[in-house]
Amino acid sequence: MRNNGKKNVKSKKPDARELQEASMKTFKRILVAFRGTWKIYRRSLTGVTGLGIVLGFFVIAITAPWTAPYDADFKAPAVDTFIADYATRELPPETNWSLVKGLTSSERARPLERVMIYSSDEGAVISYPVTRGIGEETEEIGIEIGNPTIIELPAHASYLDYTHFYRSFFFVLSANEEGENATSTLYEYDYDFIYLREHEIPFVPLYSSNLWNGFSQLYQEGRLALAFADEHNIWLFNKRPPDITEPGIDGVAFKNSLSFPNATVIGNPLVVDGDFENGSMLIVPTDVGIKAYDLNLTRSLLTKKVINVSIEGLKWESNYTLDGEEFEPLTGQDMMIFQYPYQPTTALGKESIAVATTDGRVVAYDRVTGNVTWQSMPILPGIRDFDIASLHSSPDNMIIVGTTGERGLIVGLDPETGRVGGNNSLFSTVEGYLNSPPQYVIGQYRYVFSTDRGTIYLATHELQINATFSAPGGGAATPVSFLGNIYIEGSRAGNYFGVITEEGSLFVETLTGVNIAPLPPGTYPSGNYYPLGTDYEGHDILTQVMFGTRAELMVGVVAAFFSVVIGTIVGLVAGFYSGLIGELLMRATDVMLSLPYLVIMLLFAAAFGPSLFNIIIIFAILSWAGIARVIRSVTLSTRKRAFVDAAIVAGASEMRLIFRHIGPNVLPYAFLYMTFNISGAIVTEAILAFLGFGDPNAITWGMMLQYLQISGHSLDAPWWLLPPGIAITLLSLAFYLIGRAFDEVVNPRLRRR
Amino acid sequence: MAGMSRYVAVRSIQTFITLLVILTLIFIMFEALPAQPQDLLQTTPGMQPSQIEYMTRLYGYDQPVSKRYLNYMFNMLTFEFGISFSQAEPVWDILSDRIPRTILLFGGATILAYIVGIYLGALIAWRRGGILDGGSVVISLVFYNMPSFWIGLIFLVIFASELNWFPLTGWYDPTDNLPYVVDVLWHVSLPMIVLLLLSLAGTVLLMRTAMLDVIGENYMVTAKAIGLPERKVLFKHGARNAMLPVVTSFIIAFVFSIGGAVVLENVFSFPGMGALYIDALYELDFPVAMATLYIITLLVLLGNFAADLIYGYLDPRVRI
């Protein structure tokens, strides 16, 4: 006892030299052991090859940001991946252009006539006439951009839209002053940007409704409706065409106000108008419930023209409860939609309005009665948590825009049932969040939208991503805007979209081109050289493979490390305490070993959710059993050796025996199985990813192959199929070879006879 | 056979307990899935609350977890799998189509792999150090570490898409105008070849090691010394003895390869158990997913059990 005490006192105060010496000694010992191991190891040609390959991959992983031909999130520009007509225009510099809009003619087919861009800061508008012609850049029949005209509009417009109504109108909403009693003005312009008149709104709107422009079959007249709201007020604007008895007037406007002192408006209101007298409505989402008001139209007895529009009493009100349980509605501009703005219908009772909730549900109400027609929690295969950002409508579907993890999400719901259309297949996820609604491309059955990463997507009507574009020079500064169609011959049309690029120019391109990605290896019009080609989104394959090395090595090494740690501890304990504890641990090991590995792993992956971290955990949980068994038998045999007995006699504690005396002797085995497990983890990650349980936010070889499979190019893009698979095989093989060579070091019996 | 019956009894009890533990684990994992079948009911169009209640009661989701767990265990052990959510068919009817297909594909591939693997493994061990040996070992190692779905895709591209020798997907296509059996074999052959190559790698390496152990034995030297032809020494004296550990691993190799069905059937759109399992997991069709998982687990456990019995029979030391 006393001796021990002395020792402790002494060892508590080692001077620097002693410490250094001790560490040098340990270092030397490790060096000697390492040299000895290396001497045997290097005899194995395959082992050295494996080590070389692994080192090579490590170098690639570390240097990828500098040596890879492109950035990790690089995408080939549209010039390379998309063959289509396009045009660009340099814009006056130092102006912050905020909006692109296509103005279509009032002709029946609504061809695109003008493209206007607007600067919110300066109120400037540039309007380019566009026609069918020979494109300057492409020298083929396509869009021809004429000489621009410059127009002044109010600056800082919070609402800017136009429609064809009797004469074409432009509406611009602009706040007048700041402060408590601020008002705003709705300006009316005609199609040639000629100022017509203005209307004062007694507040500054936060929300704006849909712009209703419906035509009544019964009365053969059109009518316009538009509403604005702030937190407690609604301002409703209605308009009808003039009568012959009202010469010189280009439309009759009716203005109504409504205030909610006890409720707060939380989203865009909806207006419905038309020839169903009792169906004209104003629907307002507030924090206490949805309020639906009847619009009362008074008609002249003589001419049957509407002579007054007024907001009547509450038609129905629905608070946010379902089956007695309250739910929380989403707040924000596009939380509520009306279902058929594309085809206003007189089929009263068939239409419904939908509201999104914060827990990812959509609730649909009957427009006439306010009863819930359906409510649904969309279920998407492979996607767990998602948040709804907004709702939109299209001819076929009710479209949810949202986010899942770090990715944007669009989902198409069947408007009749609220289920995800196409048997839960109508959805897509994209990198970055959507910054534009999915805009329906007339005549194409497709949608175009863009994300905050500046990428433009074209999706089929089944919401599968069909093509991706990027504006020249890298990205788009504005959300994409579908402009309209230019008719080339007969009904053949070019469907043009427009954006302002980051370099400050207008870029328009047709969506009716051909997406030729995935690109085979080669040099492309942008001057870029893709050594191994690209995938369907235009990512350079070589870059992806190089960056994928990082995740792959990380997952392999970390997952294997944890599984080995668990296995070693279980094995040590089971070997050391061979009684009940050991027996129990070994039974648990047997259970783990008799699991159908891959099948159970998929279940775990589904339960844990897709991320690299979860894959690591799942692998560690399910892959320790083999090691535990080996470590246990080594522990059992080590325990019987003389030095352990000596340690027991010297009074070493059990912990000390396990970790200090037996532990080091099982370490080589632990290391050996770690190399095998790394190779297993790499293949496992690939398999999980391929089956749709991989991390969508990470670049891994497995995900590359998963994208290959789900994009439908697995049979026609060998340059995309081969590299990730070869990389997986090589890296997994390399670790396996290291393991085999190291096996010969640990088990001398295996050395060549 | 002293102690054999005791050994069988102990192993049976152990296997049964293992089965119970795994079943419990499966139940817990299904409970932990982020989406539950009740969510599906909510989204079904035109479902009245009373119907939802009825369905919930029918499938027992209104009961507390403990009760549901007992029901589940009882149903699984008595093979009462209930009715599929997504296809409104008894789960057994769906499974009974699928199980033979998967067993045909994976059983066939494993048997072929063993026949070819034993021959090849013996041969390359005999000529160890040569180009054949090195080449085979390297190729086997490469295949051993290759992701199965990837090599499957490559074979699809080459033999089904480019050369058009085999059909791309499925199990049987009535428009082929071939007799049923021939058409099925034609559909099965490409996935089977891929599986054969993949499992061959393991068998060849195993047989080679076993053969290397045998080659040094005295009776081999004797056989050579008395001037027996090389073929006879190799196959009659060598391979026959080396085969023992390899052949006993057959059952385990077979049942474990079935676990890989989820991947390979997916690639070849082969309507077997693995593809069914993945689809059921995606569609939250719990009865089907649970039953498929259970059948696969049971196959694996029974395979292990059978292998243990054979070992026990052949090597009395194991029985202790």
Side-chain angles (χ1 to χ4, degrees):
Chain A
M1 274 314 281
R2 217 180 52 183
N3 253 353
N4 272 349
K6 242 185 187 174
K7 248 187 196 163
N8 279 346
V9 171
K10 203 179 162 192
S11 64
K12 258 181 197 163
K13 287 181 180 174
D15 59 29
R17 232 186 92 243
E18 257 178 296
L19 256 180
Q20 206 183 344
E21 255 172 32
S23 61
M24 276 305 287
K25 233 169 151 184
T26 323
F27 181 70
K28 260 185 193 157
R29 219 169 48 208
I30 293 172
L31 203 71
V32 168
F34 180 76
R35 264 202 204 134
T37 309
W38 176 241
K39 234 173 161 178
I40 309 168
Y41 182 91
R42 73 171 175 208
R43 275 189 238 153
S44 159
L45 181 65
T46 50
V48 174
T49 317
L51 198 64
I53 297 173
V54 168
L55 285 180
F57 272 114
F58 260 106
V59 170
I60 290 174
I62 292 166
T63 60
W66 302 281
T67 52
Y70 301 98
D71 287 345
D73 49 6
F74 166 84
K75 273 182 192 166
V79 217
D80 295 351
T81 59
F82 203 74
I83 300 181
D85 179 43
Y86 67 96
T88 46
R89 276 292 175 281
E90 294 263 330
L91 298 176
E94 283 159 37
T95 308
N96 193 6
W97 299 101
S98 46
L99 183 89
V100 189
K101 223 170 170 48
L103 309 186
T104 55
S105 146
S106 60
E107 279 170 39
R108 200 177 162 74
R110 296 281 154 90
L112 180 64
E113 272 191 348
R114 269 180 288 177
V115 176
M116 65 163 276
I117 55 171
Y118 172 71
S119 163
S120 182
D121 295 347
E122 299 176 15
V125 163
I126 302 181
S127 167
Y128 293 95
V130 294
T131 51
R132 190 193 80 166
I134 305 296
E136 263 169 51
E137 283 92 344
T138 54
E139 294 181 354
E140 291 197 5
I141 294 179
I143 196 167
E144 192 176 290
I145 298 184
N147 292 328
T149 45
I150 295 171
I151 304 122
E152 285 289 319
L153 283 187
H156 305 293
S158 63
Y159 179 87
L160 197 158
D161 210 345
Y162 88 103
T163 186
H164 291 286
F165 182 79
Y166 181 61
R167 283 168 71 176
S168 292
F169 286 108
F170 238 101
F171 293 97
V172 178
L173 185 71
S174 176
N176 292 338
E177 63 228 67
E178 311 261 309
E180 189 85 345
N181 294 317
T183 59
S184 49
T185 311
L186 182 68
Y187 296 90
E188 260 186 68
Y189 292 85
D190 81 353
Y191 193 61
D192 296 314
F193 297 99
I194 295 165
Y195 170 85
L196 294 177
R197 65 184 71 76
E198 59 190 65
H199 310 276
E200 176 148 325
I201 303 175
F203 54 86
V204 179
L206 297 170
Y207 306 105
S208 58
S209 77
N210 51 319
L211 176 52
W212 182 276
N213 183 359
F215 188 79
S216 159
Q217 297 293 337
L218 186 58
Y219 295 102
Q220 291 293 307
E221 63 165 18
R223 206 164 46 252
L224 205 73
L226 177 62
F228 294 100
D230 73 352
E231 284 181 337
H232 298 287
N233 298 287
I234 287 263
W235 187 81
L236 175 70
F237 179 74
N238 281 279
K239 205 165 170 160
R240 71 158 171 83
D243 198 333
I244 6 167
T245 57
E246 302 154 326
I249 302 176
D250 50 6
V252 183
F254 310 99
K255 291 172 262 186
N256 288 285
S257 287
L258 189 67
S259 62
F260 309 92
N262 301 322
T264 310
V265 180
I266 55 172
N268 284 347
L270 297 171
V271 288
V272 200
D273 213 319
D275 57 358
F276 23 90
E277 293 290 80
N278 62 343
S280 297
M281 286 171 79
L282 168 69
I283 300 152
V284 189
T286 71
D287 58 342
V288 293
I290 301 170
K291 294 174 187 289
Y293 297 89
D294 259 337
L295 299 184
N296 193 21
L297 313 184
T298 317
R299 291 188 184 274
S300 150
L301 285 173
L302 209 62
T303 60
K304 299 290 180 203
K305 292 274 174 188
V306 174
I307 50 171
N308 190 30
V309 177
S310 59
I311 304 175
E312 288 298 301
L314 209 56
K315 186 178 174 73
W316 54 264
E317 187 176 19
S318 177
N319 52 9
Y320 302 111
T321 51
L322 279 177
D323 308 330
E325 259 178 75
E326 247 178 76
F327 66 86
E328 210 175 309
L330 202 70
T331 59
Q333 300 200 324
D334 296 319
M335 57 159 287
M336 182 164 94
I337 52 163
F338 182 67
Q339 212 168 284
Y340 296 107
Y342 275 80
Q343 294 161 305
T345 159
T346 52
L348 268 183
K350 277 215 78 174
E351 295 175 318
S352 53
I353 53 168
V355 176
T357 76
T358 49
D359 61 358
R361 273 182 296 181
V362 178
V363 186
Y365 296 87
D366 186 300
R367 178 163 76 80
V368 181
T369 62
N371 294 334
V372 174
T373 37
W374 50 258
Q375 56 115 344
S376 99
M377 166 78 85
I379 292 178
L380 309 173
I383 289 184
R384 272 91 209 168
D385 297 319
F386 64 88
D387 296 310
I388 298 181
S390 56
L391 296 177
H392 304 276
S393 46
S394 82
D396 306 324
N397 299 301
M398 172 177 295
I399 296 186
I400 298 177
V401 168
T403 58
T404 168
E406 301 287 309
R407 291 172 73 91
L409 172 78
I410 55 170
V411 186
L413 301 186
D414 183 333
E416 305 267 330
T417 63
R419 298 193 73 175
V420 179
N423 245 333
N424 289 1
S425 70
L426 253 63
F427 76 96
S428 276
T429 65
V430 292
E431 283 171 32
Y433 302 144
L434 270 68
N435 64 0
S436 81
Q439 297 153 80
Y440 191 71
V441 182
I442 302 147
Q444 278 285 311
Y445 307 108
R446 288 182 191 183
Y447 299 93
V448 60
F449 59 89
S450 58
T451 63
D452 57 0
R453 305 265 176 98
T455 313
I456 296 150
Y457 290 86
L458 182 64
T460 64
H461 72 289
E462 275 146 356
L463 296 186
Q464 304 304 308
I465 304 298
N466 195 271
T468 59
F469 314 75
S470 51
T478 57
V480 69
S481 167
F482 174 60
L483 304 171
N485 299 336
I486 287 201
Y487 294 89
I488 295 166
E489 304 154 8
S491 61
R492 200 158 79 84
N495 318 94
Y496 287 85
F497 70 85
V499 285
I500 310 280
T501 67
E502 274 170 355
E503 291 165 345
S505 53
L506 171 69
F507 177 71
V508 298
E509 182 167 8
T510 164
L511 293 163
T512 26
V514 187
N515 180 35
I516 51 168
L519 303 172
T523 308
Y524 285 87
S526 65
N528 289 342
Y529 174 65
Y530 309 117
L532 295 176
T534 74
D535 69 6
Y536 76 125
E537 283 201 322
H539 294 118
D540 178 53
I541 297 285
L542 179 63
T543 308
Q544 297 270 305
V545 169
M546 289 176 80
F547 275 96
T549 312
R550 306 180 136 200
E552 225 61 56
L553 282 172
M554 199 270 284
V555 169
V557 173
V558 178
F561 177 76
F562 281 121
S563 69
V564 166
V565 166
I566 300 174
T568 306
I569 291 177
V570 171
L572 273 174
V573 173
F576 192 81
Y577 302 101
S578 39
L580 184 66
I581 298 178
E583 187 61 25
L584 275 178
L585 284 176
M586 281 339 278
R587 284 284 83 79
T589 310
D590 283 348
V591 171
M592 296 307 287
L593 280 176
S594 50
L595 284 177
Y597 182 70
L598 213 54
V599 190
I600 292 282
M601 184 164 270
L602 284 179
L603 183 60
F604 271 65
F608 277 57
S611 84
L612 281 187
F613 181 69
N614 287 343
I615 291 177
I616 289 174
I617 292 184
I618 293 166
F619 186 85
I621 293 177
L622 293 177
S623 313
W624 52 266
I627 306 156
R629 209 177 240 190
V630 172
I631 297 289
R632 174 176 167 267
S633 66
V634 178
T635 309
L636 280 176
S637 69
T638 313
R639 244 196 100 180
K640 294 190 187 113
R641 297 208 357 221
F643 71 91
V644 179
D645 290 337
I648 296 174
V649 171
S653 70
E654 285 183 341
M655 279 297 125
R656 195 176 161 81
L657 274 179
I658 293 179
F659 290 107
R660 180 79 210 154
H661 295 280
I662 300 177
N665 285 291
V666 305
L667 269 188
Y669 292 90
F671 181 76
L672 170 64
Y673 279 87
M674 180 156 159
T675 55
F676 287 138
N677 264 15
I678 293 177
S679 104
I682 289 166
V683 174
T684 304
E685 188 280 331
I687 287 175
L688 285 183
F690 180 73
L691 292 177
F693 295 94
D695 188 341
N697 299 320
I699 304 172
T700 71
W701 299 331
M703 286 312 287
M704 290 176 73
L705 291 170
Q706 144 88 354
Y707 290 138
L708 169 73
Q709 171 89 342
I710 60 175
S711 70
H713 288 289
S714 48
L715 297 181
D716 57 16
W719 61 88
W720 183 3
L721 169 65
L722 292 176
I726 291 174
I728 295 168
T729 311
L730 259 185
L731 189 58
S732 160
L733 178 68
F735 276 109
Y736 191 81
L737 291 181
I738 292 181
R740 266 172 72 98
F742 194 66
D743 205 1
E744 290 182 10
V745 177
V746 180
N747 300 320
R749 200 176 56 83
L750 291 176
R751 283 175 220 160
R752 189 144 292 192
R753 279 158 279 194
Chain B
M1 282 289 109
M4 190 63 195
S5 53
R6 190 179 159 273
Y7 175 70
V8 172
V10 169
R11 285 297 299 142
S12 319
I13 294 169
Q14 275 178 357
T15 304
F16 186 68
I17 293 173
T18 309
L19 180 65
L20 293 186
V21 172
I22 296 180
L23 275 178
T24 310
L25 188 72
I26 292 174
F27 181 79
I28 294 172
M29 289 323 287
F30 271 99
E31 283 292 307
L33 281 182
Q36 291 291 319
Q38 297 97 298
D39 304 341
L40 274 181
L41 284 179
Q42 306 286 348
T43 64
T44 309
M47 265 291 197
Q48 300 302 317
S50 61
Q51 284 171 306
I52 292 183
E53 209 174 293
Y54 171 76
M55 295 294 277
T56 314
R57 222 179 17 244
L58 183 71
Y59 284 104
Y61 279 102
D62 55 337
Q63 286 163 346
V65 178
S66 55
K67 189 87 197 298
R68 254 186 302 147
Y69 171 67
L70 290 178
N71 280 346
Y72 155 84
M73 290 300 258
F74 184 77
N75 288 342
M76 285 291 147
L77 293 175
T78 52
F79 295 92
E80 282 293 328
F81 296 141
I83 292 167
S84 156
F85 288 163
S86 60
Q87 306 188 32
E89 246 183 284
V91 175
W92 255 125
D93 291 3
I94 303 173
L95 273 177
S96 57
D97 279 351
R98 303 261 183 158
I99 295 174
R101 293 180 193 160
T102 299
I103 289 185
L104 170 72
L105 174 55
F106 285 79
T110 318
I111 291 172
L112 281 179
Y114 269 76
I115 295 173
V116 181
I118 286 172
Y119 179 82
L120 219 62
L123 202 68
I124 61 174
W126 192 249
R127 306 197 181 143
R128 66 189 179 285
I131 297 172
L132 183 69
D133 180 28
S136 307
V137 170
V138 167
I139 290 173
S140 298
L141 283 176
V142 168
F143 270 100
Y144 192 72
N145 284 286
M146 202 176 267
S148 53
F149 64 87
W150 181 65
I151 183 74
L153 279 175
I154 289 180
F155 269 68
L156 269 182
V157 171
I158 297 176
F159 295 106
S161 177
E162 292 296 319
L163 297 175
N164 232 337
W165 289 354
F166 297 99
L168 268 175
T169 58
W171 158 260
Y172 171 63
D173 184 357
T175 60
D176 287 340
N177 285 327
L178 288 172
Y180 182 75
V181 177
V182 177
D183 194 48
V184 164
L185 283 179
W186 188 44
H187 275 83
V188 166
S189 39
L190 192 60
M192 202 183 264
I193 291 170
V194 172
L195 252 174
L196 171 67
L197 287 176
L198 288 169
S199 33
L200 197 57
T203 324
V204 167
L205 291 177
L206 195 64
M207 184 63 194
R208 179 177 172 272
T209 318
M211 192 69 188
L212 283 178
D213 279 339
V214 169
I215 282 174
E217 298 283 338
N218 288 338
Y219 62 81
M220 292 292 285
V221 181
T222 315
K224 258 196 228 173
I226 59 172
L228 286 178
E230 198 175 341
R231 262 192 81 79
K232 206 165 182 184
V233 181
L234 165 58
F235 289 109
K236 195 154 183 205
H237 295 253
R240 209 174 247 199
N241 285 297
M243 254 165 74
L244 202 66
V246 182
V247 169
T248 44
S249 74
F250 168 78
I251 299 173
I252 294 182
F254 165 58
V255 290
F256 269 97
S257 78
I258 285 185
V262 284
V263 185
L264 221 60
E265 292 187 354
N266 194 301
V267 171
F268 287 97
S269 308
F270 185 84
M273 272 198 289
L276 179 69
Y277 175 67
I278 294 244
D279 289 346
L281 215 52
Y282 275 143
E283 290 170 1
L284 298 181
D285 195 344
F286 279 24
V288 172
M290 280 172 164
T292 319
L293 190 48
Y294 175 59
I295 296 286
I296 294 176
T297 310
L298 203 62
L299 280 176
V300 171
L301 285 182
L302 289 179
N304 278 344
F305 181 64
D308 279 349
L309 289 196
I310 295 171
Y311 273 125
Y313 179 75
L314 294 176
D315 186 351
R317 282 173 302 173
V318 178
R319 280 181 240 153
I320 300 165

